[in-house]
Amino acid sequence: EYGVGVRKDDTALQGRLDKALADMKQDGAAATIATQWFGKNIIK
């Protein structure tokens, strides 16, 4: 698991972060980064 700290009232930033992370999971970028840093795909 991972977390990104944002201000409680900054829902616009939170929405953009959530979308970016979801897009990275979908297109495989998150798996590539995980494999590079941890030696295997740890993204669920």
Side-chain angles (χ1 to χ4, degrees), residues 17-30:
L17 283 170
D18 288 343
K19 183 179 180 331
L21 293 171
D23 289 348
M24 289 175 68
K25 281 183 181 180
Q26 186 174 29
D27 71 10

Side-chain angles (χ1 to χ4, degrees), residues 12-41:
L13 177 58
Q14 183 179 354
R16 290 192 308 266
L17 283 170
D18 288 343
K19 183 179 180 331
L21 293 171
D23 289 348
M24 289 175 68
K25 281 183 181 180
Q26 186 174 29
D27 71 10
T32 300
I33 293 168
T35 302
Q36 177 184 354
W37 284 94
F38 302 109
K40 64 181 180 177
N41 181 6

